[in-house]
Each structure stands twice: as structure tokens, then as C-alpha cells.
Amino acid sequence: MFGSLDRSGILAIAAEAADVSASAEPSSGDTRQALGRRFSIALPFGCEGPLRDDQQDATGWRYDESSQALRVQFAPVTWRTTDWRFRSEDEVSFEGFWIARPWTTSEACPVPTDAEPRDGGPITLPGQTLAIGQAVDGDASAPQAGTKPPYVAVVRVPPADLRAERGFAIRLKGRLAVVRYGGPVGCVQPGGSEQRPICLIGATFDEIVLENAATGETLARWSGIGKGRVGSAAISNLPQP
């Protein structure tokens, strides 16, 4: 009996799918065999500090010391089948999240580094290359990314207990699901063969948990994606920071 996949397991499956997509070599079958396996993966966010006033709907957090209200919010991404160039008889949408920094198995906020170019040349930042999402009912007019309201949790936290120095994390729990060609991963290279494949992992989200990364405390939880945007542990009658 296979155990639940963690971040390293998810990344290994995605890496194999990207290799198969880029090389056109037959798959070893490990990727397809992962279909239906349970997973639990945490995605850190809010590492740079509180949101600014002009980031009302962005993923992050803010704190109002006068009311002791901590508001944490995160916004899933909505994609259409055509955004991934997947061929499908039934036009569907996917709702999910980018898995940032897929080159590391760490689920913590990144350590700040010296990003200054040593040779005086420009730095080209890579785009996102790995996502995980669930198929939801949709059509060709499905909304673009960022148009849905964010998931929100508002909890009362005394200033001495805030502990936001390591940001927060969205923990996704569920099972891998079919996304393309009967397998749980679909990859595309819209920029051609020299581009790193951009891959979407198919999932069925059973639970989404909002955690304080510093303490491991659960702040809110949702029973799957699209089940309401206010967390079950949120204190909704608090004033919004």
C-alpha cells in the first residue's frame, strides 16, 4: 500500500512527466500509477511581510493591532483547458495553485539571497512552471486568473502571539486525478523545445488548510475547493484590517 505523497513525491512525478514531454520517450509508467494516490503539500506565502494597501485581493496577510485582527487570504488561479493547450471534448476549467520554486523540496519561506548580478549582466527571472489544480465545471467563457475573490480567514491574535515572521502556508490534501491522456500530469511547451515544460498536476482537493508556518497552528480549513471563501475557523464578525 502506497503512503501519502509529500512535496518531494509530487515533484518527482512532475519531473518524470516533464522529461517524457520534452524527450518524447515512453513513460516508465510511474506517473500513471500515481493516479488516485493521496497527497499533502504545503505552499508557503506571505514571506515578505504584510500586504500593502493596494493589494486588497492579493495572497498574503495583514494585521490590525487595535482590534487584534489577523486577516489571512489567498487566491487560487483559474485556468481554462485552452490556457494549457489541452485538447478536450468537454471544455472544463481548472482551479488551483502554482507550486513555486519546484527545484526545492522545502516547504518553508525562501531564505533571502544576494540577487545582485556579479558580472554586471541582467537577471532574467523564470516564470512559474508547475501547478496543481482540480477540474471544475466551466466553458470557453471561464474567468481569467485572479478574477475570483480570495479565500479569507480572520482570527483574533494578541500582538505578542502574532508570529508571522515565517509567513503562512496553504496545505492541500487530496488525491491525484486525471488531467490529460488518462494520467495525473499534463505538460506543454508553448515556447518550443528549448523551453522547460510547464506542467499541471491533476487533483481532487479534499481539504485546504491554512497554517501559521512558525507555529504549525491551523487558522482555518475548507472542505475542498470552491466550497465557500470564508474559512470555517474564521471569526467573521471581527472588523477587517
Side-chain angles (χ1 to χ4, degrees), residues 147-166:
T147 60
K148 289 189 176 181
Y151 288 78
V152 176
V154 184
V155 295
R156 192 185 304 279
V157 181
D161 298 333
L162 180 58
R163 298 297 306 277
E165 69 273 11
R166 292 176 59 186

Side-chain angles (χ1 to χ4, degrees), residues 66-108:
S66 62
S67 62
Q68 299 186 6
L70 170 66
R71 177 186 174 94
V72 186
Q73 61 189 48
F74 59 93
V77 181
T78 299
W79 302 279
R80 295 171 296 186
T81 306
T82 51
D83 293 332
W84 289 92
R85 303 189 179 186
F86 292 169
R87 294 181 181 178
S88 175
E89 294 181 0
D90 299 319
E91 186 68 32
V92 298
S93 297
F94 296 93
E95 189 169 341
F97 307 88
W98 288 108
I99 301 177
R101 301 182 302 123
W103 53 84
T104 176
T105 59
S106 173
E107 293 185 333

